Amino acid sequence: MGKTKEIVILSGKGGTGKTTVAASLAELIHDKIIVDADVDAANMYLLMEPENIMETEFKGKSIANINTSICTSCNLCKELCRFNAIEVINGDYVVEDISCDGCRLCQTACPVDAIEMVEQIVGKWIIADTRFGDFIYARLNPGAENSGNLVAMVKRQSKLTAEEKNISTILIDGPPGIGCPVIASLSGSDYVIVVTEPSFSGISDLKRVLKLTEHFRIKTGIVVNKFDINVENTEKIEKFAQENKVEVLAKIPHSFCIIEEISKKNIPSINCKELKKPVIEIYNKIKDYFEAEMAN
Amino acid sequence: MKAFIAVENNAGIDSRLDNRFARAGYFMVYDMESDKILSIEENRFKNGAHGVGIETGNYLIKSGCKLAIGANPGPKAESILRAGNIEFYIAENCTAKEAIERYRAKA
Amino acid sequence: MFIAVASGKGGTGKTIVSTSLALVAKNSTYIDLDVEEPNGYILLKPEIEKEIPFNLKIPKIDEHVCTFCGKCADACVYNAISIIPNLKKTLFYPDLCHSCGHCTYVCPVNGAIKEVDREIGKIRMGKSKELKFIEGRIDVGVISGVPIISWIVNNYIDFNEINIVDSSPGTSCPVVESVKKSDYIILVTEPTPFGLSDLKLAVEIAKNMGKKAGIIVNKDTGIKNIDVYAKEVNIPILLKIPYSIEVQKSYSKGIPLVEAIPEMKGKFVELIDKIICENGKN
């Protein structure tokens, strides 16, 4: 029994079909845990129909809180704060929760110890049963930060569950962008699938994501979604992939079927032939890669 | 010489090594001369958001240990161990006792 | 006037909408605050006149002066500093540093920590015909886009003019930062269950911040899930952009919507006039 394999699906830009590919792959892999790490806007649960939901509150960073009865309004904290998080409202010094970064500088500096750090509840992570297996996802409270932290938490939980139940694959629907949540979703992963589309922005985002996976030295493959919308750009992506020694795993055509199926909350690869074939291709290529790795 | 051993649980010298270094369950400090466990403490950094490798590395430096035993450390923990001239012995899938024996057999 | 274009979910057409609005509004400025993935330039093709590096302050420890007391490392909640006293060594990890200044503040030795600049991104400014163009972009691997967003909002926006801001996608900190000072928020969504689920989060943010908002439905297939929800929360649907392969094809070629589909131009002119008339300060 080898180590549990972690596959992360990324896109750079949102809306390229990341969740569609993730859900379709999830349907193909038998022995797996599905993780929705797109904690800012988790969507996969809409297709998964989770049951037996167990929610756990998630505490994020601590932020400063000023006790106004002790505060002498000396203004030192406000002067020092680099995040402009301290405001004076009706003569009282208050911390603006959204801006506070939790650095504790104000707490250290306060001459009368009027500042304490208070842990924030920023969201919750959820473990549930689905007809596709264990499903772990998280929801961040709107406007809350620290999604990188929550991603790490969700990943840790999925690893624990995988070890406990001896599950071989963790499939992670990663966050969009290239920021902290994405970095958190990458750490410790074994394979990254980047879903892109043949638009200029798709290509420029793809390049940025590849820079990141290269930095972490994680094996990466590309999926071109809606490749037939701009064949010329698709060729550019293929050329770029070749130059950078990254494999194009599959190309998925534009399809109304996929949109219709998602609107019905179905996993689209079940009824859309044009999606099923490329998804099987992706699955086989990744399986081959892991088998070759094991043999080494 | 004192050794810093990253273990999964607290079962004395039979504690199993954790497969993560900086985020291990417990840290054991072991005196190689007198063959005694000096302390086993729960790792309070393991659920940190960022820089856990550094927190653990800083903690190790402060403990005064010159040898670290455990799973392969991440890049940040490794950089601190290297800067601190801490000898590192990678061991996995065994107990603390077995790891110490293996280390001695090697040395 | 500051109009923020946002969307809970990425890929709903936020950039298509914000560039279209900017192109039809007279004397406007388009500001791309989707700093992780700024894409507006692809459609607007601006001539870049100025490129300014955006720096944050990071500590630099002088090992000749430092006493290796370790107070800075203890103060740093981000674990960006490591001190090895017996070997008189210091380690610093810039990618973990949040530039809070705590280490410099607690350092008891004069001159042991100096603050130096670290470039984390760039602000580009230029013009696309009549349209003014500003873009913030952070380097790959930089933890947070919030500092550059807040810098641009506080220093580069002329509130007497019309500013169309393309905000970050999602519903976390960067979005809050980019819509904080807005007069009106346009939420772009699509009529799928995903689109609706993310729209709900975005609406919650707008409501929590006490902002006026309207919805644009992109990739409209005739499904009414957004209409039902919009009515429920009493937010107007400003415009529907039909689902069409033409729209997607023109986007993939880098052609703005109002140029590719002329009938959309009239609709966007109407829309911007209406928003300015109802929400404008002057």
Side-chain angles (χ1 to χ4, degrees):
Chain A
M1 181 68 217
K3 150 181 181 293
T4 308
K5 299 280 183 290
E6 264 185 45
I7 305 171
V8 184
I9 304 171
L10 294 179
S11 66
K13 176 181 176 304
T16 58
K18 186 167 55 62
T19 303
T20 303
V21 172
S24 304
L25 267 177
E27 199 259 328
L28 273 185
I29 304 171
H30 288 288
D31 169 29
K32 85 275 165 180
I33 293 173
I34 307 158
V35 178
D36 191 348
D38 188 352
V39 291
D40 288 336
N43 276 325
M44 197 133 64
Y45 76 97
L46 293 166
L47 301 180
M48 292 285 141
E49 295 171 0
E51 285 168 18
N52 302 324
I53 290 170
M54 199 184 84
E55 294 185 352
T56 311
E57 270 184 349
F58 175 77
K59 286 191 184 134
K61 66 180 180 192
S62 299
I63 63 167
N65 183 46
I66 302 174
N67 185 336
T68 44
S69 63
I70 303 175
C71 173
T72 58
S73 304
C74 72
N75 203 45
L76 183 61
C77 55
K78 189 167 163 43
E79 263 166 48
L80 289 172
C81 180
R82 303 260 174 109
F83 305 97
N84 298 320
I86 296 168
E87 282 180 47
V88 186
I89 298 174
N90 300 330
D92 283 340
Y93 281 71
V94 287
V95 176
E96 200 193 356
D97 293 4
I98 288 172
S99 301
C100 177
D101 203 64
C103 76
R104 292 178 183 257
L105 174 54
C106 56
Q107 190 190 27
T108 303
C110 179
V112 292
D113 283 337
I115 301 177
E116 55 169 6
M117 302 301 290
V118 183
E119 238 181 350
Q120 298 286 99
I121 291 165
V122 290
K124 58 196 177 197
W125 61 268
I126 299 143
I127 180 159
D129 292 335
T130 72
R131 61 206 148 109
F132 306 100
D134 287 293
F135 179 45
I136 297 173
Y137 59 112
R139 307 230 67 170
L140 201 61
N141 296 340
E145 207 210 0
N146 231 351
S147 43
N149 203 349
L150 194 48
V151 168
M153 186 80 188
V154 168
K155 271 190 65 150
R156 197 154 45 231
Q157 195 53 46
S158 67
K159 237 179 191 158
L160 285 178
T161 309
E163 275 164 23
E164 208 175 280
K165 299 190 174 175
N166 217 353
I167 290 170
S168 66
T169 310
I170 299 173
L171 187 69
I172 301 170
D173 185 7
I178 50 160
C180 177
V182 174
I183 293 173
S185 77
L186 281 177
S187 76
S189 300
D190 302 285
Y191 200 103
V192 174
I193 302 171
V194 187
V195 182
T196 186
E197 54 180 31
S199 60
F200 281 113
S201 57
I203 296 172
S204 77
D205 294 348
L206 170 69
K207 288 182 182 166
R208 282 162 71 94
V209 176
L210 286 183
K211 235 191 225 177
L212 209 57
T213 60
E214 198 186 316
H215 173 86
F216 285 101
R217 295 200 193 102
I218 304 170
K219 174 77 179 173
T220 306
I222 298 170
V223 173
V224 188
N225 193 16
K226 303 184 203 161
F227 79 92
D228 46 353
I229 277 186
N230 191 326
V231 180
E232 210 179 295
N233 281 344
T234 298
E235 279 166 10
K236 273 189 205 152
I237 293 173
E238 288 178 302
K239 196 166 158 256
F240 173 78
Q242 207 180 12
E243 283 164 6
N244 289 276
K245 300 192 175 64
V246 181
E247 187 177 10
V248 174
L249 300 168
K251 293 189 281 185
I252 301 169
H254 172 268
S255 143
F256 279 106
C257 174
I258 297 174
I259 300 162
E260 274 170 19
E261 287 299 307
I262 288 177
S263 296
K264 288 186 216 150
K265 303 189 182 180
N266 291 332
I267 293 198
S269 59
I270 299 173
N271 291 325
C272 307
K273 273 197 297 279
E274 61 273 39
L275 179 60
K276 183 152 199 157
K277 206 177 140 256
V279 170
I280 291 175
E281 241 178 294
I282 299 168
Y283 173 76
N284 284 334
K285 283 182 180 165
I286 293 176
K287 207 176 84 184
D288 289 350
Y289 166 75
F290 282 139
E291 277 170 9
E293 278 285 289
M294 288 271 270
N296 281 332
Chain B
M1 180 173 65
K2 285 197 289 180
F4 185 94
I5 309 174
V7 292
E8 205 173 84
N9 54 347
N10 181 357
I13 195 68
D14 294 318
S15 305
R16 290 199 64 77
L17 261 55
D18 204 302
N19 61 5
R20 291 158 304 183
F21 182 71
R23 288 186 194 271
Y26 290 80
F27 295 131
M28 178 193 296
V29 177
Y30 188 83
D31 186 8
M32 300 291 279
E33 269 84 50
S34 63
D35 265 328
K36 273 194 189 120
I37 296 173
L38 300 176
S39 66
I40 300 185
E41 268 179 42
E42 195 175 349
N43 176 2
R44 58 197 152 93
F45 317 125
K46 67 182 170 198
N47 292 326
H50 36 198
V52 175
I54 296 162
E55 254 183 325
T56 298
N58 286 346
Y59 180 72
L60 199 168
I61 297 278
K62 279 187 191 156
S63 75
C65 294
K66 288 277 167 270
L67 167 68
I69 298 176
N72 213 342
K76 296 211 160 102
E78 199 186 293
S79 68
I80 295 180
L81 298 184
R82 207 178 294 143
N85 284 345
I86 309 286
E87 184 185 356
F88 201 90
Y89 182 69
I90 296 172
E92 262 174 285
N93 298 320
C94 63
T95 63
K97 187 171 174 231
E98 286 161 353
I100 293 164
E101 279 165 10
R102 282 189 210 172
Y103 169 78
R104 284 192 173 133
K106 182 213 82 166
Chain C
M1 177 95 198
F2 178 158
I3 301 169
V5 181
S7 69
K9 180 180 180 305
T12 53
K14 190 170 53 58
T15 302
I16 291 181
V17 167
S18 51
T19 51
S20 295
L21 281 171
L23 285 166
V24 299
K26 285 181 193 84
N27 300 321
S28 67
T29 307
Y30 169 87
I31 302 160
D32 202 339
L33 293 185
D34 188 354
V35 296
E36 272 189 39
E37 316 268 345
N39 284 326
Y41 76 97
I42 294 166
L43 294 170
L44 296 173
K45 302 173 191 73
E47 263 176 58
I48 299 299
E49 293 159 350
K50 246 200 276 182
E51 191 176 275
I52 306 160
F54 180 74
N55 300 320
L56 283 180
K57 294 279 180 218
I58 57 166
K60 191 172 165 40
I61 303 175
D62 185 342
E63 291 186 354
H64 300 293
V65 182
C66 176
T67 60
F68 308 95
C69 70
K71 286 201 171 117
C72 54
D74 290 340
C76 181
V77 300
Y78 315 105
N79 299 315
I81 304 174
S82 185
I83 305 289
I84 303 161
N86 56 346
L87 298 171
K88 299 193 186 315
K89 275 187 198 166
T90 62
L91 297 168
F92 174 66
Y93 302 87
D95 52 330
L96 291 173
C97 176
H98 285 218
S99 305
C100 70
H102 202 172
C103 53
T104 317
Y105 185 81
V106 297
C107 179
V109 186
N110 207 355
I113 300 183
K114 261 203 288 281
E115 293 204 325
V116 296
D117 284 338
R118 174 191 179 218
E119 185 177 330
I120 63 144
K122 281 194 169 65
I123 298 165
R124 300 200 298 164
M125 286 185 278
K127 263 191 175 157
S128 175
K129 288 176 204 153
E130 293 302 295
L131 177 67
K132 285 193 227 58
F133 174 91
I134 301 174
E135 172 201 90
R137 174 187 293 264
I138 55 170
D139 294 339
V140 172
V142 169
I143 320 175
S144 167
V146 171
I148 194 169
I149 292 171
S150 100
W151 179 260
I152 293 174
V153 170
N154 290 323
N155 295 283
Y156 290 93
I157 294 187
D158 180 350
F159 285 87
N160 296 317
E161 288 189 31
I162 295 164
N163 299 281
I164 311 288
V165 168
D166 191 345
S167 349
S168 306
T171 47
S172 64
C173 253
V175 187
V176 173
E177 198 62 40
S178 49
V179 303
K180 221 189 233 170
K181 292 203 174 168
S182 67
D183 301 301
Y184 193 81
I185 304 178
I186 296 176
L187 299 164
V188 186
T189 187
E190 52 183 40
T192 62
F194 294 171
L196 177 59
S197 161
D198 294 336
L199 175 66
K200 286 179 181 171
L201 295 174
V203 165
E204 210 174 309
I205 291 188
K207 292 223 153 156
N208 285 346
M209 297 177 81
K211 299 286 182 192
K212 260 184 98 175
I215 296 168
I216 291 185
V217 180
N218 187 23
K219 303 182 195 170
D220 179 30
T221 49
I223 290 168
K224 299 277 183 236
N225 64 340
I226 305 291
D227 302 63
V228 173
Y229 171 70
K231 209 166 179 186
E232 235 171 70
V233 290
N234 198 21
I235 292 181
I237 291 186
L238 306 167
L239 180 69
K240 288 186 177 184
I241 303 168
Y243 186 94
S244 103
I245 214 163
E246 290 314 309
V247 173
Q248 297 200 40
K249 277 189 176 164
S250 64
Y251 178 64
S252 80
K253 287 180 195 150
I255 303 167
L257 179 67
V258 287
E259 282 169 22
I261 316 226
E263 72 219 54
M264 288 312 296
K265 190 173 176 177
K267 293 198 170 159
F268 271 99
V269 172
E270 234 172 79
L271 176 62
I272 192 93
D273 287 348
K274 191 165 165 250
I275 293 174
I276 293 172
C277 172
E278 286 173 7
N279 302 283
K281 284 172 188 160
N282 26 11

